[in-house]
Amino acid sequence: MKNYEETAHDVLLRIETERKVKKRRRIRIALSGVSMLCICLAVVVCFNFLGGGTAQMIRAADLMDGITTAEVDGRKTDDRFTANQMRLALELFQRTSAGSEGRNLLISPLSIQLALAMTANGAGGETLEEMERVLGGDISIDELNEYLYTYADSLPSEEKVKLEIANSIWFRDTFDVRKEFLQKNADYYGAAAYRSAFDDETVKDINNWVSKNTDGMIDKIIEEIDPLTVMFLINAIVFDGKWEKTYDEDDVSDEVFYSYSGGEQDAELMYSMESVYLDDGSATGFIKPYAGGKYSFAALLPNEGTDIYDYIAGLTPEGLTETLENAESADVHAYLPKFSYEYEKSLNAILSDMGMPTAFTEGAADLSGIGDGRLFIGGVQHKTFISVDENGTKAAAVTPVEVTTESCPSSYTVYLDRPFIYMIVDRETNLPVFIGTVTEISK
């Protein structure tokens, strides 16, 4: 254990030192406009140990304090990458909405992808192949790391529109994490690393980290740490932006909103004149820009008589891309309701159905790149929050990916309280060097 702590600590120290020198922005980015806060609580690796972790100051040993990541090559975003991003985002959205009839929903595809991509850096064999197909299509994890590195680093940041992405890895102080795994996630995702006892203080530390990196929109993500948990990989994205033109008091009126179930609800609708119109033949909508014009809010309303879930199911990546790219310049009288809600969904079945069942299968998953133990993903939970008002949009997403060890075999008890055989065995050949019996205890 001592040797592990020295080597892992040295690697992380070197990583952080390089980061400080280069002052790389990496995944910490500011983006403003729709004030969307996405936190992706990425990976919980569970094993045979004890755990717990909630506070306002992080007490765990920060192995990356004052350090940065090594120089790595990025990969310029191209049609191949953006097409895959749209495919993944739309498929996640469609599969999530399929089980949410009549219920508001919100997911952060980028948050989910970053969390799972960091996890995939510890996968191998069929597990990795499936995760690569789901996350990248024909893009390998090594290529995806480079694409996501460049993509995240290139996202613009302005005073009124900020996007901040933070990653951290928390691991139990008795768990030997592969230093290559930590190195790669530090290099491409700027992940800080904390070694902790996984006790009640760790719960406080993790929740404080989450609260800090979500601007307080999500102040708690875990209540306790399972005894089998050995690692959390956490991704947090904060998006907080102002409208290009905020609404005046006179622009807001009390109206009626007709729910999916057919009920009438009181609502405050905000009126504005927009200049970009959307129409794909089955729905119409508009695009409303955020300050700076680099980010926008897009809305699509299915035509009268078209069920929203039928419409969602019929969307294609190519069709949605075309709708957004071929928007029409026109005057649009837009009425947008104020809204705020939370959403939570387990992604286990969705991700399995998308093509990565092995990662969730006990006895078949290969996550050996993370550390020793027969690990598999025990659960992927996604929780989000969004608020839209006169000033802009705020949203938060949390995605815990729980990785657990295979359950222990049944325990047995043997009492040598009657005659028995014994051997002294050569372990290399399993041949007995000595073999005997005890039929009585000599005095």
Side-chain angles (χ1 to χ4, degrees), residues 39-64:
I39 188 183
C40 195
L41 175 59
V43 170
V44 180
V45 184
C46 299
F47 204 53
N48 276 329
F49 303 105
L50 294 158
T54 303
Q56 272 296 355
M57 221 189 307
I58 295 176
R59 297 174 175 81
D62 184 0
L63 302 182
M64 309 288 283

Side-chain angles (χ1 to χ4, degrees), residues 292-308:
K294 295 181 179 178
Y295 301 94
S296 297
F297 178 90
L300 282 168
L301 178 70
N303 295 340
E304 193 74 39
T306 300
D307 183 90
I308 187 171

Side-chain angles (χ1 to χ4, degrees), residues 277-346:
Y277 180 67
L278 301 175
D279 188 347
D280 66 0
S282 299
T284 57
F286 62 90
I287 292 178
K288 181 178 179 62
Y290 290 97
K294 295 181 179 178
Y295 301 94
S296 297
F297 178 90
L300 282 168
L301 178 70
N303 295 340
E304 193 74 39
T306 300
D307 183 90
I308 187 171
Y309 296 103
D310 290 340
Y311 172 75
I312 293 172
L315 288 173
T316 64
E318 299 78 13
L320 184 55
T321 299
E322 183 179 357
T323 298
L324 295 174
E325 290 182 349
N326 297 330
E328 177 185 350
S329 295
D331 291 337
V332 185
H333 297 275
Y335 293 86
L336 174 65
K338 290 186 187 181
F339 61 89
S340 177
Y341 63 83
E342 292 181 342
Y343 175 78
E344 187 168 4
K345 177 79 172 180
S346 170

Side-chain angles (χ1 to χ4, degrees), residues 35-37 39 162-164 208-219 236-241 394-396:
S35 254
M36 184 174 284
L37 186 163
I39 188 183
K162 77 169 184 176
L163 175 67
E164 294 182 347
N208 285 333
W209 187 92
V210 166
S211 179
K212 176 184 177 182
N213 287 284
T214 61
D215 289 349
M217 280 185 259
I218 297 177
D219 60 6
I237 305 177
V238 177
F239 181 54
D240 189 349
K394 292 186 178 183

